[in-house]
Amino acid sequence: MKTSYLACLATATAIAFAMPAFTAEKAQDFVTKAAVGGMFEVDSSKVAQDKVSAQNVKDFAQKMIDDHGAANAKLESIAGEQKLQIPAGLDAPHRTDLQKLQDGNAPLDQSYVEMQRSAHADAISLFEEYAKDGDNAPLKAFAQETLPTLKMHKEMIEKIATTIGTDPSSATSSTTPAVKTTDTPSAAAPIPGANSFTEDQAKSRIQDAGYSNVSKLTKDDHGIWRGQASKDGKNTTVALDFQGNVIAGSN
């Protein structure tokens, strides 16, 4: 009996010591992704201020600098208290997007707005997951407190998108001539045609259709954007044609 008790005690002790490691790993992943996303919001918005023309886009960029700057500082403080690391800079995908803005010719209203739509969709997904299932109490509270602001930002940028003609669900401007006609029924298969949706626009359009985790987007020789996404807990291939039709399971 004594041997059995000691064995159980040893097992329980091992589990107790193992659990913080798993907790720390999950918390660090959230901190890393949230910090990188927050840094990108501030850095891209600083670049955009000098390269966008519409006043509502300029105002939005300033709000991102203010709101995400404050959130970034709060996250850094919590991470320090929890002995977690804040990344020193952006990851490769965000550096690439930032470089596009830095190298692009003004006005870049359309590019900036589409990046913000995509970035906020990703941020909301990240914060919703951690607000629900996070196992580090201070970080979970931070996610819960920040989430309403992120959703407000998403609503703001969606409204702005419709005012400058970058909403792929509406008729697009002359600088974005991809067509979404009101009298064309949803296609059973993607329709070939000259497609001028950018990768960011294609991703946003697919997300607007209810998909998440949109990745590996490439445009084929027929002008059709193809990639991977998930919906209702299932992974699938997905395609976006020049008319804005989103078709799942299309190869």
Side-chain angles (χ1 to χ4, degrees), residues 10 13 16 21-22 34 41 44 48 60 68 96 112-113 115 129 146-147 150 162 191 196 201 209 223-224 237 245 248:
T13 302
F22 287 112
E41 294 290 351
S44 63
F60 180 85
H68 284 279
T96 298
Y112 172 70
V113 167
M115 284 183 185
E129 180 180 353
T146 308
L147 191 55
L150 294 175
T162 64
I191 302 171
S196 59
Q201 289 174 325
I224 298 168
T237 56
N245 297 307

Side-chain angles (χ1 to χ4, degrees), residues 149-216:
T149 300
L150 294 175
K151 290 182 176 180
M152 177 188 68
H153 292 168
K154 185 68 162 61
E155 291 178 1
M156 291 174 64
I157 200 63
E158 291 298 339
K159 290 180 180 178
I160 291 173
T162 64
T163 68
I164 62 173
T166 62
D167 183 357
S169 65
S170 66
T172 54
S173 68
S174 59
T175 59
T176 314
V179 178
K180 179 69 174 79
T181 58
T182 58
D183 57 351
T184 300
S186 297
I191 302 171
N195 191 330
S196 59
F197 283 123
T198 65
E199 182 176 348
D200 287 333
Q201 289 174 325
K203 182 177 180 180
S204 292
R205 176 67 182 176
I206 294 168
Q207 289 172 332
D208 289 345
Y211 294 87
S212 60
N213 300 321
V214 181
S215 63
K216 299 180 180 178

Side-chain angles (χ1 to χ4, degrees), residues 33-34 38 54 61 104 119 121 129 136 139 145 169 208 248:
K33 291 178 179 178
E129 180 180 353
N136 180 296
L139 286 175
E145 293 167 2
S169 65
D208 289 345

Side-chain angles (χ1 to χ4, degrees), residues 26 36 40 46 57 111 124 126 142 147 160 170-171 198 229 243:
K26 185 174 181 179
V36 167
F40 175 75
K46 286 180 177 178
V57 181
S111 296
I124 289 171
L126 172 67
F142 169 75
L147 191 55
I160 291 173
S170 66
T198 65
Q243 291 185 339

Side-chain angles (χ1 to χ4, degrees), residues 69-103:
N72 293 350
K74 187 171 183 178
L75 177 61
E76 184 173 357
S77 176
I78 295 172
E81 294 171 356
Q82 301 299 307
K83 309 302 182 185
L84 299 169
Q85 298 296 316
I86 293 289
L90 299 177
D91 58 10
H94 286 92
R95 286 199 304 270
T96 298
D97 283 344
L98 185 63
Q99 194 67 47
K100 289 178 182 178
L101 289 177
Q102 292 171 334
D103 295 343

